[in-house]
Each structure stands twice: as structure tokens, then as C-alpha cells.
Amino acid sequence: MNLVTKITVIIAIVLIIPIFVVCLIYFRAFQDSLISDAASGLEDDLRKMESMMDTNLDTIDAVISELDYRQEFSYFLDDRNVLSKSEQNFYVSSVQEELLNIRYLYPNRFHYIAVYSSNNQIKNSYERQFDLAELKAKPYYDEIESADEKVSYGSVRNSEFKTSNINVSDYNLDTSAILVLPTYMKVYNLSTKEIVGVVEVDTEITKLVGGRTLEGMSGDSSYLLFGQDNSLLYNTKDFENAGFEGIEFEDREGSRNVTIDGKPYMMVYSRCDITGLVRAVVMPEDKVMVFAEDMLFRLIGVAVAGICIVVGIIYWLIRRMLQRLLVLDSKMSEIESGKFDVVIEDEHEDEISRISRSFNRMTSRLESVINAAIKREHAQREAELQALQAQINPHFLYNTLENMRMQCEIDGYFTISDSLAALGDLFRYSIKWGSKEVPFEMEWANLKNYMAIMQMRFDDDVKCILECDEGIDDIIVPKLMLQPLVENSFNHGFKESLPPWVISVRALKREGRLMIEIEDNGAGIEEKRLKKLKACMERNTPFENAEQQRKSIGVINVKQRIDMICRPGSRMEIDSLPGIGTKIVITIVLEEE
């Protein structure tokens, strides 16, 4: 394969990946859109089912309210009342008239309306009146009696009445094949509040959910109704799968994906608050994804055709161009981005080859110059640090202070002796410069010695607060990091303000970082001066102190050593308000344990 073919193949491979990624993203988006549309459609179907069921429940409430309003059940059903023959006839004719009205107003809506009475006088003259004792013997009477409301809905069960006294079209029904939702209205004695009768209105489940209407508009979706115990009561697709019986509905409403015998379904559902029945609409996912499969084949065809066209155009263009010049141009672009170890491999002998070799020599020299500049900058920083430490002869001072301390011990000046011991430890810490890094415990001890000296010097005029979390003693930090910053508070912050002075240093360990806060109540730093100091910290240049005709490298030096020694992300920040004080926050990123 020649160079043009190789590059064409490489570019084709590179193009194939994003093209198929884009196609995959589009396909996923198309699938999500189908699922979203299907879910929206299921939500609409569920709302229709809810609307029909709620309408029928409202009708049940209206019928019971009408019966309660028109019939004096509390009188006629109470066995304490002795009814005359005329009263019995009046009651029977009134109930029959009401049943005819219900049949006329709501044809084919209800299955049976039964009246249970403790007054057997009515039963003897009207065959559709039942003894309340019979109802009390039923296993479901407890749910009637325990209901707080006067009107309550019972559990779905098989109908106990073979013929309907309300439905005008269905007679001689098989009771084992009809599920009904019973609605009970308790009739109380007006004085004792004892139950003297119950009016029961039975509604077929298929009529309750509007079965014929749902079957006509089901399409690919199926309407299901579950009982209070999550048993499947009704469905428009005649599911005989027992898997639907085991579905749990923990929330009042929602959506979920269920798998029945390995077949996935999308489902939305809601639980009726007053009956406890769960209304659900399901759709097989394969019905939704059938359109996605067609779209997938179309996308693959378009992607393959597009790749072939693009590859042909690229091959034609590359043959018309000097590919080696394109390589040289790409290498130059890498140099522009900051990568200086670029080498062009070229074994030819022509003008382009000579340019390539010159390019290689240029990048090599450029890299050497940059490395040399970096080394000089590091050396300069090291020299500045050494200059800061060599301002006095620490060995001479330490030995002299040790002699003075011993003499004070002999003479009994113990306070001065303790201060000289702290000062001696301070100098001993500074002269042991075998390493640029020390455990935080040593840096904290050095800061304590310095604070002790300042406390002796200023007595009650200064209050020093030192707080340190446990478990940070072994953290490695730059040496002489804290004392120069605290010294600035005494040399600058407290110099231009009146006591009492307060300086606090807190060392905290927070979320993989060592946080050190140094705060004083000194004179603070003027806004213009603070802005200039922050700029010097950003550029790593000394801060020129015009008043003292010298350059201040203490703060800048600490900041530079934090940048060089500590892990990436470590930093030092300074903030100040004139007349309020200054606060320095050092953040050191810790290594993972």
C-alpha cells in the first residue's frame, strides 16, 4: 500500500467511528423518543380508564344518595317498628319504583341492588328483601361493620345473585363468572345508632371500568384492573398469564417495566383511593421497538453509503497533494500547542527531506533552550531561599544563645531562660536544612517557639491562639512555611495598630486537604497594595516595598515553595481589610492513603 492509500485507510477508519457513534446516538434518541411517546400514550389511556371508572363510581354514589334520600330505610328496616299492611305495601311499591327509575336512567350499569333488614315483616311481603342476619353470617361482613363511613366499598367478589334485578339485558347469569364490586350503605337506628339494615349495590367489574369501550380503543395496549390484594380482575387482552398476579404496587401511581415469562412490558398504573383497586395499562416493548428496527437498518445503509463517498473523495484529494508536506504541517501544529519532542521520520533525499531534518534540529534546540531556562529559574528560586536563610549566621547565634540560657539558669532567671531556649530551638530548626520538607509536627513546634518568644516580648498586649487537628503530625510540608507569615503580622500588621493584638493559627484536615488559616486583627493591607501583592504572587516576582526601599520575598517565597514542593492544586491565598486585619489560607493537597 502506498502512502496515499495508507492515509486514506486511516482517515476512513477514523471517520467510521464518529459516524457510527452519531448513528448510535441518533438511534438511541429515536428509541427514547418511541418509548417516551409510548409512555405518553399509556398515560393518556390510563386517564381515559380512570375517567370512565370515576364516572361510574360517581353514578354509584348518586344512586345510593338517591335511595337514601327517597326511602325511609331507618324506619322500615328497624325491627323495633311494627309496620301496618299499608306501610309494608307503600315501602315495597316505593322500592320497586326506585329500581325501575334506576334501570331506566342507568341501563346495563348495575347488576343487583339488595336490601338487608332486621325487620322480617318486609321480607314476608317482598321477596327481594333479605334478612340482616344472613349478611352478618357472611365472611365479609366485618369489612362493612368496621368501615368508618356510612357508605363504603367492599372487596371484589363473585356475585351471589344468579339473576339481575337492575340489568335489563342479562338474565340467568352464571354467578361464578361475574365479578362485582359491592357498595354498602349502612342504615342506623336514629336513637341507638345500631345497624338495623344494609343497602348493597353490586356493580359488575366489566361495567365499572367500561369494558366494551376499552376493548374498542385498546389497540396495542391492554387495560388491566387489579384488586385490593393485587390479583388480576379484568383485562382487555384475556391474559391467562399468572405472572401478572405477582405484580406489587407500592406507590399510589407510577410507571414501571415488568417482564412476564421473558417478555418485557411497559406499564403505567394508579390506585383508586376510595375502592383500593389498581388501574393499569400495559404494552409489549416489542410493539414499540418494531419501528426502531426499521430505523436501524436505514441508518446503517446511510452510514455505509456516506463512508464510501467520503473515502473516495479523500483518496482523490490526497493523491493531488504532497502528503509529506501535510505531515510537516501537522508537526508544526504540535510545536505550536507546546509539544517540543516532535521528530519527523523521513528517509528520502529531496527538498522535503532537508526541511524535515532542519525541523528536527530546530525542535531539539528549542527543547534544550526551554529546559535550560527552567533549570535557571529553579536555581534562581533556590538561591533566593538560601539568601533568605543566610541573612545571619545561625550557628554563631545558636551557640551564643545556648551560653546565655545556661547562665540565666545559673542566676535563676528562669523566664528569660525559657525564652532563650525557645529562641535557640527556633535557630536550631532553621540551620538544619538537610531537607526542604519536614513533618508538620516539627513545623508546628517551631511556630510554637516563635509564638512563645513574641508572647514574652509583648506580654498581655498580644493573644496567641493555636489550634491543630489530630492526625496531621506526619503530613509533609515545606520547611519554614508558617513562621515567616506569622512574623509579618508582628512586623507589619501590629506595627501600625494599637493593642490588644490577636493572632490565630488553625490547622485543619478537610476532605483530603490540609487547611492552615492564619488571621490577625492588625492594621490590614490597603486595597491597592493588596492587589499588587496578589499580582506578584501570581507572577512569582518579589514584592517591592517602596517605603522600606527593599524587596519583600517572605510571602512570595512561601508561595513559591508550596507550588514547587506540594501536590498540584495546593495554593496560598491572602485577603485583608484595612483596619480589620489580614487572613492567609494555605491549602495543601494530601496524597491518597
Side-chain angles (χ1 to χ4, degrees):
M1 297 175 63
N2 58 31
L3 183 62
V4 174
T5 304
K6 290 179 181 178
I7 296 176
T8 303
V9 171
I10 293 173
I11 295 178
I13 294 175
V14 172
L15 286 175
I16 287 173
I17 297 174
I19 288 175
F20 277 104
V21 168
V22 171
C23 291
L24 181 61
I25 293 174
Y26 180 80
F27 178 68
R28 292 293 187 189
F30 184 73
Q31 281 185 318
D32 294 340
S33 175
L34 290 176
I35 294 174
S36 177
D37 292 343
S40 178
L42 291 177
E43 291 285 351
D44 292 340
D45 292 340
L46 181 61
R47 298 288 87 80
K48 295 175 183 177
M49 184 179 183
E50 291 174 344
S51 176
M52 286 186 286
M53 186 172 174
D54 292 343
T55 299
N56 290 327
L57 290 175
D58 292 341
T59 301
I60 295 173
D61 291 340
V63 168
I64 291 179
S65 299
E66 189 71 14
L67 286 171
D68 188 31
Y69 174 74
R70 293 184 178 274
Q71 307 298 326
E72 297 180 6
F73 288 122
S74 59
Y75 175 75
F76 289 106
L77 303 186
D78 194 345
D79 59 352
R80 296 177 178 84
N81 301 323
V82 178
L83 305 178
S84 64
K85 190 64 178 178
S86 61
E87 288 178 323
Q88 295 179 23
N89 294 335
F90 172 77
Y91 171 76
V92 171
S93 62
S94 176
V95 172
Q96 289 178 337
E97 181 182 359
E98 192 63 34
L99 292 179
L100 289 175
N101 290 335
I102 294 173
R103 180 183 299 178
Y104 176 76
L105 293 175
Y106 309 106
N108 300 320
R109 188 71 61 89
F110 303 102
H111 176 66
Y112 206 93
I113 296 180
V115 179
Y116 294 90
S117 171
S118 61
N119 193 341
N120 292 325
Q121 299 174 71
I122 302 296
K123 180 180 178 182
N124 296 331
S125 59
Y126 182 51
E127 62 179 3
R128 299 191 186 278
Q129 186 90 2
F130 302 96
D131 191 353
L132 182 61
E134 297 179 13
L135 182 62
K136 290 183 177 181
K138 302 293 184 181
Y140 52 82
Y141 181 74
D142 289 341
E143 71 180 10
I144 303 174
E145 188 176 26
S146 61
D148 296 331
E149 299 82 3
K150 180 179 180 181
V151 178
S152 62
Y153 292 89
S155 300
V156 176
R157 66 171 187 269
N158 290 326
S159 174
E160 298 180 351
F161 304 101
K162 294 185 177 181
T163 58
S164 172
N165 65 344
I166 293 297
N167 198 317
V168 298
S169 60
D170 298 330
Y171 291 95
N172 300 321
L173 300 174
D174 183 5
T175 58
S176 63
I178 296 180
L179 291 176
V180 295
L181 173 69
T183 307
Y184 305 103
M185 181 182 71
K186 291 179 283 189
V187 180
Y188 300 97
N189 180 281
L190 297 179
S191 58
T192 64
K193 302 301 179 183
E194 177 186 358
I195 298 176
V196 297
V198 174
V199 179
E200 176 183 336
V201 178
D202 291 345
T203 308
E204 296 181 31
I205 291 298
T206 55
K207 302 293 179 59
L208 178 66
V209 298
R212 292 181 181 177
T213 304
L214 293 179
E215 291 172 1
M217 63 182 184
S218 61
D220 292 329
S221 58
S222 303
Y223 297 87
L224 291 78
L225 184 68
F226 295 87
Q228 295 90 338
D229 58 351
N230 296 333
S231 60
L232 183 60
L233 304 176
Y234 170 82
N235 66 84
T236 56
K237 295 295 185 182
D238 294 331
F239 287 121
E240 297 180 357
N241 199 318
F244 283 99
E245 297 285 347
I247 298 177
E248 296 291 337
F249 301 96
E250 298 178 356
D251 300 326
R252 181 187 175 277
E253 62 181 6
S255 61
R256 58 186 297 183
N257 295 327
V258 296
T259 301
I260 307 299
D261 283 350
K263 186 174 183 179
Y265 291 85
M266 298 174 58
M267 171 185 286
V268 295
Y269 65 90
S270 67
R271 186 179 294 274
C272 180
D273 293 330
I274 58 176
T275 64
L277 303 178
V278 177
R279 303 159 291 201
V281 185
V282 299
M283 177 184 291
E285 286 191 9
D286 55 3
K287 297 292 184 181
V288 179
M289 294 304 167
V290 66
F291 300 103
E293 294 176 0
D294 295 338
M295 178 58 68
L296 179 61
F297 289 118
R298 294 177 186 176
L299 286 175
I300 293 175
V302 172
V304 172
I307 290 172
C308 293
I309 294 173
V310 171
V311 169
I313 294 174
I314 291 174
Y315 183 81
W316 180 79
L317 289 175
I318 292 179
R319 289 187 61 182
R320 296 177 59 88
M321 300 172 65
L322 295 175
Q323 182 61 28
R324 288 155 63 201
L325 285 179
L326 292 177
V327 173
L328 180 61
D329 180 67
S330 66
K331 298 298 182 182
M332 289 181 176
S333 299
E334 292 183 21
I335 293 293
E336 291 178 353
S337 65
K339 185 177 180 182
F340 301 105
D341 58 345
V342 176
V343 177
I344 298 178
E345 301 291 342
D346 195 339
E347 299 179 355
H348 298 83
E349 292 294 334
D350 53 22
E351 292 80 2
I352 297 179
S353 299
R354 290 194 293 272
I355 294 174
S356 298
R357 287 192 289 271
S358 299
F359 177 84
N360 291 339
R361 290 192 295 269
M362 179 192 69
T363 56
S364 179
R365 291 175 182 174
L366 184 58
E367 186 175 13
S368 299
V369 171
I370 291 175
N371 289 336
I374 293 174
K375 290 180 180 179
R376 286 197 300 271
E377 183 177 353
H378 280 251
Q380 183 178 355
R381 292 182 180 180
E382 189 69 24
E384 290 177 353
L385 181 59
Q386 295 296 336
L388 178 65
Q389 297 169 0
Q391 291 177 359
I392 59 176
N393 188 330
H395 288 285
F396 171 75
L397 286 175
Y398 172 67
N399 293 332
T400 302
L401 289 172
E402 183 64 18
N403 293 334
M404 294 171 64
R405 186 189 68 80
M406 293 175 61
Q407 187 61 45
C408 288
E409 288 281 349
I410 295 172
D411 295 341
Y413 299 110
F414 298 108
T415 302
I416 299 176
S417 174
D418 292 341
S419 299
L420 290 175
L423 184 58
D425 290 339
L426 199 67
F427 278 114
R428 183 190 296 114
Y429 182 74
S430 66
I431 66 176
K432 290 182 179 180
W433 201 257
S435 174
K436 303 176 184 177
E437 305 167 80
V438 295
F440 184 76
E441 181 181 14
M442 296 178 62
E443 183 68 11
W444 190 255
N446 183 63
L447 177 63
K448 284 183 174 181
N449 289 329
Y450 179 79
M451 288 292 206
I453 295 171
M454 292 297 104
Q455 190 74 59
M456 177 187 176
R457 177 182 174 186
F458 294 105
D459 199 14
D460 294 336
D461 288 343
V462 64
K463 179 180 180 182
C464 301
I465 302 173
L466 296 178
E467 296 179 3
C468 179
D469 279 356
E470 296 182 357
I472 63 177
D473 292 343
D474 296 331
I475 296 175
I476 303 302
V477 297
K479 187 175 182 180
L480 281 178
M481 175 182 66
L482 302 179
Q483 183 267 333
L485 300 179
V486 174
E487 185 178 355
N488 279 342
S489 295
F490 289 96
N491 292 343
H492 303 290
F494 298 155
K495 185 177 181 180
E496 299 178 4
S497 64
L498 296 175
W501 304 312
V502 178
I503 181 167
S504 64
V505 182
R506 295 179 175 87
L508 314 170
K509 187 177 181 181
R510 295 290 185 271
E511 298 180 355
R513 286 170 169 78
L514 175 60
M515 309 289 294
I516 303 173
E517 299 177 355
I518 303 172
E519 187 172 4
D520 65 44
N521 65 341
I525 306 174
E526 296 179 355
E527 182 179 358
K528 182 177 180 181
R529 184 184 181 91
L530 179 62
K531 191 176 296 184
K532 182 178 178 181
L533 177 58
K534 289 183 178 180
C536 292
M537 292 173 63
E538 184 71 22
R539 298 191 301 267
N540 287 324
T541 57
F543 178 71
E544 296 183 0
N545 193 328
E547 297 177 359
Q548 300 180 9
Q549 297 298 321
R550 64 181 179 86
K551 294 182 178 179
S552 174
I553 64 173
V555 175
I556 306 299
N557 182 274
V558 173
K559 190 263 182 185
Q560 289 175 342
R561 288 188 289 127
I562 290 175
D563 292 342
M564 290 188 296
I565 295 175
C566 299
R567 293 172 63 85
S570 302
R571 62 187 183 275
M572 183 176 77
E573 300 170 327
I574 184 169
D575 198 7
S576 181
L577 291 174
I580 302 299
T582 303
K583 182 176 182 180
I584 298 177
V585 179
I586 298 174
T587 303
I588 297 178
V589 179
L590 306 180
E591 296 184 6
E592 296 182 359
E593 296 183 359

